[in-house]
């Protein structure tokens, strides 16, 4: 199970905003509009690091798309 933990890293909205260089309110807006997949654990809203990296890849301009 340790391997699963290493592969799936959940970040808070604040951490995700910092990681992407965006305002925290942007992260929450994207969560609300379903632009950014998220995990709800109790009252916490968490974001999967892999989803953030996918968002970066999908919005990278000037690179060949890898299929």
């Amino acid at each position: 199970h340790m391997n699963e933990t290493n592969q799936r890293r959940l970040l808070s909205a604040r951490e995700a905003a910092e990681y992407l260089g965006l305002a925290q309110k942007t992260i929450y807006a994207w969560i609300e509009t379903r632009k950014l997949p998220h995990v709800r654990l109790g009252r916490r809203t968490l974001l999967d690091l892999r989803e953030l990296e996918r968002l970066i890849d999908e919005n990278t301009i000037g690179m060949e798309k890898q299929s």
Side-chain angles (χ1 to χ4, degrees):
H1 289 85
M2 186 63 152
N3 207 15
E4 277 178 35
T5 307
N6 291 341
Q7 288 174 1
R8 181 176 182 85
R9 169 85 170 105
L10 297 177
L11 304 179
S12 68
R14 182 185 55 75
E15 291 168 326
E18 197 173 296
Y19 182 80
L20 294 173
L22 298 170
Q24 200 169 327
K25 67 180 183 179
T26 302
I27 299 298
Y28 282 118
W30 287 359
I31 287 168
E32 251 180 65
T33 59
R34 299 277 193 256
K35 181 174 180 175
L36 197 52
H38 60 285
V39 177
R40 275 278 217 251
L41 292 176
R43 295 177 58 171
R44 295 199 66 194
T45 299
L46 302 169
L47 299 113
D48 188 332
L49 182 58
R50 290 175 303 184
E51 291 295 337
L52 300 181
E53 289 173 350
R54 184 180 60 78
L55 183 75
I56 292 167
D57 291 344
E58 286 177 356
N59 289 282
T60 298
I61 298 166
M63 291 182 62
E64 288 289 319
K65 290 274 186 201
Q66 293 184 0
S67 48

